[in-house]
Amino acid sequence: LNGQLGSVSSVAFSPDSHSMASASFNGSIRVWDVERGDVVKTFEGHSGAVSSANFSPDGWRLASGSWDCTIRVWDVETGAAVGSPFEGHADGVTSVAFSPDGERIVSGSFDHTVRVWNSRTGEQIGDPLRGHSDLVRSVACSRNGKLIASASNDRTVRIWDARTGTPIAEPLTGHTNDVNSVCFSGDSKQIISASRDHSIRIWSVETGSAVRAP
């Protein structure tokens, strides 16, 4: 598909797989009709590169995180911003993810923190999740809604209790370079991580040990 101006930083399917969102370093987000390959909406409002974009579970909203230190929520149907930008991060936002019920948004940032937000009001829920010693590159929510995972340039993956924001056990260690991406398995029992060390690792949520490693 051609039509996104600037380097593409993130892509995501809508829940019904009929649409796709792409985020760009030029500060815009575009929504595409997957079958036709056409751009159907362009969202503009960020003043910096957009590093991440994800659909809400019902497909009606889109969240975006930007190097302008904010998160925005968009109405997919109209292309309009919903409410005001979410402000609180002290540096650029690298990753955003909706909780399975769509009521919360989790974000990671260059400021080394993970934060949780009310997706309707933009109010920050609880204190920032602190523990990483370098920028947070990727965040994910487990499908059962109980856990948050974060991946960092400190070469670790951390697991957090989604309700309390407290860390679950010790950081997952083994990667020898920045960890770029993290996600949960469908049953929420495993985490997969990808790193600049050229490896992918699969971890047990229960034990914190590597189930599969290079």
PDB file of all heavy atoms in Angstrom, residues 3-21:
ATOM      1  N   GLY A   3       0.918   5.588   0.108  1.00  0.00           N
ATOM      2  CA  GLY A   3       0.092   6.730   0.451  1.00  0.00           C
ATOM      3  C   GLY A   3       0.454   7.342   1.784  1.00  0.00           C
ATOM      4  O   GLY A   3       0.021   8.449   2.093  1.00  0.00           O
ATOM      5  N   GLN A   4       1.238   6.640   2.573  1.00  0.00           N
ATOM      6  CA  GLN A   4       1.681   7.192   3.854  1.00  0.00           C
ATOM      7  C   GLN A   4       2.934   8.014   3.615  1.00  0.00           C
ATOM      8  O   GLN A   4       3.945   7.492   3.141  1.00  0.00           O
ATOM      9  CB  GLN A   4       1.973   6.079   4.852  1.00  0.00           C
ATOM     10  CG  GLN A   4       2.378   6.587   6.227  1.00  0.00           C
ATOM     11  CD  GLN A   4       1.220   7.129   7.025  1.00  0.00           C
ATOM     12  OE1 GLN A   4       0.318   6.401   7.387  1.00  0.00           O
ATOM     13  NE2 GLN A   4       1.252   8.418   7.290  1.00  0.00           N
ATOM     14  N   LEU A   5       2.875   9.301   3.907  1.00  0.00           N
ATOM     15  CA  LEU A   5       4.019  10.168   3.718  1.00  0.00           C
ATOM     16  C   LEU A   5       4.934  10.054   4.929  1.00  0.00           C
ATOM     17  O   LEU A   5       4.493  10.172   6.068  1.00  0.00           O
ATOM     18  CB  LEU A   5       3.557  11.618   3.534  1.00  0.00           C
ATOM     19  CG  LEU A   5       2.596  11.859   2.363  1.00  0.00           C
ATOM     20  CD1 LEU A   5       2.152  13.312   2.342  1.00  0.00           C
ATOM     21  CD2 LEU A   5       3.248  11.482   1.041  1.00  0.00           C
ATOM     22  N   GLY A   6       6.197   9.819   4.706  1.00  0.00           N
ATOM     23  CA  GLY A   6       7.140   9.654   5.798  1.00  0.00           C
ATOM     24  C   GLY A   6       7.289   8.196   6.179  1.00  0.00           C
ATOM     25  O   GLY A   6       6.498   7.334   5.800  1.00  0.00           O
ATOM     26  N   SER A   7       8.314   7.900   6.970  1.00  0.00           N
ATOM     27  CA  SER A   7       8.577   6.529   7.400  1.00  0.00           C
ATOM     28  C   SER A   7       7.427   6.014   8.245  1.00  0.00           C
ATOM     29  O   SER A   7       6.897   6.720   9.102  1.00  0.00           O
ATOM     30  CB  SER A   7       9.871   6.476   8.214  1.00  0.00           C
ATOM     31  OG  SER A   7      10.977   6.877   7.441  1.00  0.00           O
ATOM     32  N   VAL A   8       7.043   4.764   8.009  1.00  0.00           N
ATOM     33  CA  VAL A   8       5.949   4.148   8.755  1.00  0.00           C
ATOM     34  C   VAL A   8       6.520   3.491  10.013  1.00  0.00           C
ATOM     35  O   VAL A   8       7.424   2.665   9.939  1.00  0.00           O
ATOM     36  CB  VAL A   8       5.209   3.117   7.898  1.00  0.00           C
ATOM     37  CG1 VAL A   8       4.094   2.441   8.691  1.00  0.00           C
ATOM     38  CG2 VAL A   8       4.618   3.783   6.647  1.00  0.00           C
ATOM     39  N   SER A   9       5.975   3.847  11.173  1.00  0.00           N
ATOM     40  CA  SER A   9       6.501   3.372  12.446  1.00  0.00           C
ATOM     41  C   SER A   9       5.683   2.250  13.056  1.00  0.00           C
ATOM     42  O   SER A   9       6.181   1.488  13.892  1.00  0.00           O
ATOM     43  CB  SER A   9       6.562   4.533  13.446  1.00  0.00           C
ATOM     44  OG  SER A   9       5.279   5.115  13.600  1.00  0.00           O
ATOM     45  N   SER A  10       4.407   2.145  12.662  1.00  0.00           N
ATOM     46  CA  SER A  10       3.517   1.194  13.323  1.00  0.00           C
ATOM     47  C   SER A  10       2.333   0.878  12.426  1.00  0.00           C
ATOM     48  O   SER A  10       1.850   1.749  11.694  1.00  0.00           O
ATOM     49  CB  SER A  10       3.013   1.801  14.643  1.00  0.00           C
ATOM     50  OG  SER A  10       2.034   1.001  15.265  1.00  0.00           O
ATOM     51  N   VAL A  11       1.872  -0.363  12.475  1.00  0.00           N
ATOM     52  CA  VAL A  11       0.665  -0.760  11.739  1.00  0.00           C
ATOM     53  C   VAL A  11      -0.195  -1.644  12.648  1.00  0.00           C
ATOM     54  O   VAL A  11       0.315  -2.327  13.538  1.00  0.00           O
ATOM     55  CB  VAL A  11       0.989  -1.525  10.437  1.00  0.00           C
ATOM     56  CG1 VAL A  11       1.594  -0.596   9.403  1.00  0.00           C
ATOM     57  CG2 VAL A  11       1.896  -2.713  10.703  1.00  0.00           C
ATOM     58  N   ALA A  12      -1.505  -1.611  12.432  1.00  0.00           N
ATOM     59  CA  ALA A  12      -2.412  -2.420  13.241  1.00  0.00           C
ATOM     60  C   ALA A  12      -3.691  -2.692  12.461  1.00  0.00           C
ATOM     61  O   ALA A  12      -4.208  -1.800  11.782  1.00  0.00           O
ATOM     62  CB  ALA A  12      -2.750  -1.712  14.546  1.00  0.00           C
ATOM     63  N   PHE A  13      -4.193  -3.924  12.561  1.00  0.00           N
ATOM     64  CA  PHE A  13      -5.491  -4.262  11.999  1.00  0.00           C
ATOM     65  C   PHE A  13      -6.596  -3.832  12.941  1.00  0.00           C
ATOM     66  O   PHE A  13      -6.443  -3.866  14.169  1.00  0.00           O
ATOM     67  CB  PHE A  13      -5.605  -5.781  11.791  1.00  0.00           C
ATOM     68  CG  PHE A  13      -5.124  -6.259  10.447  1.00  0.00           C
ATOM     69  CD1 PHE A  13      -3.973  -7.029  10.354  1.00  0.00           C
ATOM     70  CD2 PHE A  13      -5.828  -5.969   9.286  1.00  0.00           C
ATOM     71  CE1 PHE A  13      -3.523  -7.494   9.128  1.00  0.00           C
ATOM     72  CE2 PHE A  13      -5.389  -6.427   8.054  1.00  0.00           C
ATOM     73  CZ  PHE A  13      -4.239  -7.199   7.973  1.00  0.00           C
ATOM     74  N   SER A  14      -7.751  -3.466  12.378  1.00  0.00           N
ATOM     75  CA  SER A  14      -8.954  -3.269  13.177  1.00  0.00           C
ATOM     76  C   SER A  14      -9.460  -4.633  13.627  1.00  0.00           C
ATOM     77  O   SER A  14      -9.103  -5.666  13.044  1.00  0.00           O
ATOM     78  CB  SER A  14     -10.039  -2.562  12.354  1.00  0.00           C
ATOM     79  OG  SER A  14     -10.416  -3.370  11.237  1.00  0.00           O
ATOM     80  N   PRO A  15     -10.290  -4.692  14.675  1.00  0.00           N
ATOM     81  CA  PRO A  15     -10.784  -5.983  15.164  1.00  0.00           C
ATOM     82  C   PRO A  15     -11.518  -6.813  14.108  1.00  0.00           C
ATOM     83  O   PRO A  15     -11.449  -8.041  14.139  1.00  0.00           O
ATOM     84  CB  PRO A  15     -11.727  -5.592  16.303  1.00  0.00           C
ATOM     85  CG  PRO A  15     -11.181  -4.297  16.796  1.00  0.00           C
ATOM     86  CD  PRO A  15     -10.686  -3.588  15.574  1.00  0.00           C
ATOM     87  N   ASP A  16     -12.201  -6.161  13.162  1.00  0.00           N
ATOM     88  CA  ASP A  16     -12.916  -6.917  12.126  1.00  0.00           C
ATOM     89  C   ASP A  16     -12.051  -7.209  10.910  1.00  0.00           C
ATOM     90  O   ASP A  16     -12.508  -7.831   9.950  1.00  0.00           O
ATOM     91  CB  ASP A  16     -14.197  -6.193  11.702  1.00  0.00           C
ATOM     92  CG  ASP A  16     -13.939  -4.839  11.047  1.00  0.00           C
ATOM     93  OD1 ASP A  16     -12.768  -4.514  10.748  1.00  0.00           O
ATOM     94  OD2 ASP A  16     -14.919  -4.097  10.821  1.00  0.00           O
ATOM     95  N   SER A  17     -10.796  -6.754  10.932  1.00  0.00           N
ATOM     96  CA  SER A  17      -9.811  -6.985   9.863  1.00  0.00           C
ATOM     97  C   SER A  17     -10.153  -6.292   8.551  1.00  0.00           C
ATOM     98  O   SER A  17      -9.483  -6.521   7.547  1.00  0.00           O
ATOM     99  CB  SER A  17      -9.625  -8.495   9.604  1.00  0.00           C
ATOM    100  OG  SER A  17      -9.139  -9.147  10.755  1.00  0.00           O
ATOM    101  N   HIS A  18     -11.162  -5.434   8.541  1.00  0.00           N
ATOM    102  CA  HIS A  18     -11.537  -4.724   7.311  1.00  0.00           C
ATOM    103  C   HIS A  18     -10.706  -3.452   7.111  1.00  0.00           C
ATOM    104  O   HIS A  18     -10.616  -2.941   5.992  1.00  0.00           O
ATOM    105  CB  HIS A  18     -13.026  -4.368   7.323  1.00  0.00           C
ATOM    106  CG  HIS A  18     -13.916  -5.560   7.270  1.00  0.00           C
ATOM    107  ND1 HIS A  18     -15.242  -5.522   7.653  1.00  0.00           N
ATOM    108  CD2 HIS A  18     -13.686  -6.826   6.865  1.00  0.00           C
ATOM    109  CE1 HIS A  18     -15.779  -6.716   7.495  1.00  0.00           C
ATOM    110  NE2 HIS A  18     -14.851  -7.524   7.019  1.00  0.00           N
ATOM    111  N   SER A  19     -10.145  -2.943   8.191  1.00  0.00           N
ATOM    112  CA  SER A  19      -9.364  -1.715   8.132  1.00  0.00           C
ATOM    113  C   SER A  19      -7.992  -1.939   8.732  1.00  0.00           C
ATOM    114  O   SER A  19      -7.773  -2.889   9.489  1.00  0.00           O
ATOM    115  CB  SER A  19     -10.077  -0.580   8.895  1.00  0.00           C
ATOM    116  OG  SER A  19     -11.351  -0.330   8.367  1.00  0.00           O
ATOM    117  N   MET A  20      -7.086  -1.041   8.404  1.00  0.00           N
ATOM    118  CA  MET A  20      -5.737  -1.074   8.944  1.00  0.00           C
ATOM    119  C   MET A  20      -5.303   0.352   9.246  1.00  0.00           C
ATOM    120  O   MET A  20      -5.652   1.281   8.501  1.00  0.00           O
ATOM    121  CB  MET A  20      -4.779  -1.697   7.933  1.00  0.00           C
ATOM    122  CG  MET A  20      -3.358  -1.869   8.431  1.00  0.00           C
ATOM    123  SD  MET A  20      -2.205  -2.265   7.095  1.00  0.00           S
ATOM    124  CE  MET A  20      -1.992  -0.645   6.344  1.00  0.00           C
ATOM    125  N   ALA A  21      -4.589   0.550  10.327  1.00  0.00           N
ATOM    126  CA  ALA A  21      -4.053   1.868  10.661  1.00  0.00           C
ATOM    127  C   ALA A  21      -2.542   1.850  10.498  1.00  0.00           C
ATOM    128  O   ALA A  21      -1.879   0.858  10.802  1.00  0.00           O
ATOM    129  CB  ALA A  21      -4.416   2.242  12.094  1.00  0.00           C
TER     130      ALA A  21
END
